[in-house]
Amino acid sequence: MTTIDQSAQEGVRTFEQPDGYLTHYRVWGAETAPDLVVMLHGGMSHSGWQAPLGTRLAELGAGVAFLAVDLRGSGLNAVRGHIPAGDLAVEDVARLLDSIRAARPGTRIHLAGWCFGAQVATVVAARLAERSVLASLLMVCPGFFFNERYNDVLDRSIDAALDVVEVLDLGVEPSRPFIKIPLRPGDFTDDAHWLAAIDADRLKLGHVTVGTVDAWEEIAVASEKDYARIGRLPVRAVFGRRDKLVDNARVRAFLEAHPDLEVHELDTGHAVQFEEPDALTRLIAAFVTGVAAGPTP
């Protein structure tokens, strides 16, 4: 049955941040695996959306473990729909990676991001560049630039919500989500089973706070600058040929500034992990083992 993993039990762990906030994450594969892929999700989704990759990587037996993180305000984490500041969300991930590195000495950590998660991952990678924490940066449908349709719909949705609050002189608590995320299941995939699964997902975000919108913008702006600051970290990117959200051509042109970039394209929509999990799993495994083997002489 096609479902989105919403379990709070099996494979779920927590990491306590300095402010007491518990970051939830899901783990697949052996603790002793020499390589670990750490995946960050997109804006309205959560770590459960990455389960198709985690289960298949574990089954593949390629020595690659998989960990999917719930970003602050998402998934199983508290105060859903609210991020007080973009830098806080970035630091959450950086601290978690430090903890993983300490717990798994010798493991090569490959940071990955799907959609907006790729932008978060880029900022984190730049922040950790001088410390050699990461072995590579993986991006799936990276959301550096969205197409005109979605940009227009997003701007209108935010403006409409803010106008209502201003006109009615409403006092909205900073942590109360009221700005609707203008995304439909059909923006991610055309597969009927996954459309139903997304629609039934109780952990996806429907509304966010003003703080979250500001945090997303803060991270988006930083990612465009920080991409040039990730050093010589190998970058691997996968695009969905039928993506309805990302401006693939513009993002690819942007990414090509990096000297060690490898790009692949699959015949899917935005949710590559739903439509072609086997193909994406094989690509990720090949990326990781290729990085581990080093450059070909």
Side-chain angles (χ1 to χ4, degrees):
M1 183 178 180
T2 301
T3 58
I4 291 174
D5 188 354
Q6 302 176 59
S7 170
Q9 304 297 325
E10 187 175 355
V12 176
R13 302 177 188 176
T14 59
F15 171 73
E16 185 172 353
Q17 302 290 350
D19 62 353
Y21 191 87
L22 291 181
T23 295
H24 290 71
Y25 60 96
R26 304 170 191 268
V27 183
W28 293 265
E31 294 275 353
T32 56
D35 291 279
L36 173 67
V37 175
V38 178
M39 176 68 80
L40 309 181
H41 61 78
M44 76 172 270
S45 64
H46 55 86
S47 62
W49 286 42
Q50 304 303 323
L53 295 182
T55 54
R56 283 166 174 78
L57 270 174
E59 293 168 356
L60 195 61
V64 183
F66 190 81
L67 186 155
V69 183
D70 278 336
L71 299 174
R72 185 172 287 244
S74 295
L76 295 169
N77 292 336
V79 198
R80 296 178 61 249
H82 180 52
I83 304 175
D87 192 65
L88 185 59
V90 170
E91 279 300 309
D92 283 349
V93 178
R95 293 190 189 99
L96 175 60
L97 291 174
D98 279 334
S99 173
I100 293 169
R101 188 187 189 195
R104 300 189 182 205
T107 299
R108 289 178 291 270
I109 300 175
H110 307 265
L111 185 58
W114 172 64
C115 190
F116 179 68
Q119 291 168 279
V120 180
T122 298
V123 179
V124 173
R127 193 161 296 188
L128 300 176
E130 295 183 359
R131 295 170 47 203
S132 301
V133 174
L134 303 177
S136 73
L137 177 61
L138 312 178
M139 304 183 185
V140 181
C141 296
F144 287 94
F145 308 109
F146 293 107
N147 60 39
E148 290 185 11
R149 179 194 68 83
Y150 180 57
N151 274 330
D152 182 58
V153 171
L154 181 61
D155 289 342
R156 288 172 181 268
S157 180
I158 294 172
D159 290 344
L162 294 178
D163 282 348
V164 169
V165 168
E166 182 179 355
V167 170
L168 297 182
D169 193 24
L170 300 174
V172 180
E173 290 293 325
S175 61
R176 181 176 181 179
F178 70 94
I179 299 175
K180 183 175 178 59
I181 298 177
L183 286 170
R184 301 165 297 179
D187 292 323
F188 297 97
T189 180
D190 291 326
D191 183 280
H193 297 289
W194 282 112
L195 288 172
I198 294 172
D199 191 54
D201 180 14
R202 60 180 175 79
L203 289 182
K204 69 179 182 293
L205 296 182
H207 297 77
V208 295
T209 64
V210 173
T212 298
V213 171
D214 291 342
W216 285 351
E217 179 64 19
E218 178 187 337
I219 292 171
V221 170
S223 69
E224 291 181 43
K225 298 177 181 178
D226 285 351
Y227 182 60
R229 300 170 183 166
I230 64 173
R232 300 188 61 81
L233 203 64
V235 178
R236 306 295 183 254
V238 180
F239 291 87
R241 188 173 296 118
R242 293 180 280 105
D243 198 318
K244 297 177 183 178
L245 298 175
V246 175
D247 186 337
N248 285 348
R250 188 179 176 193
V251 175
R252 288 186 68 158
F254 170 74
L255 295 180
E256 286 172 357
H258 191 71
D260 190 358
L261 171 70
E262 183 178 308
V263 176
H264 288 264
E265 188 174 72
L266 296 175
D267 188 24
T268 70
H270 190 61
V272 180
Q273 73 275 25
F274 291 164
E275 296 182 19
E276 288 288 352
D278 292 327
L280 183 55
T281 298
R282 289 193 297 271
L283 282 175
I284 290 177
F287 294 160
V288 169
T289 54
V291 168
T296 302

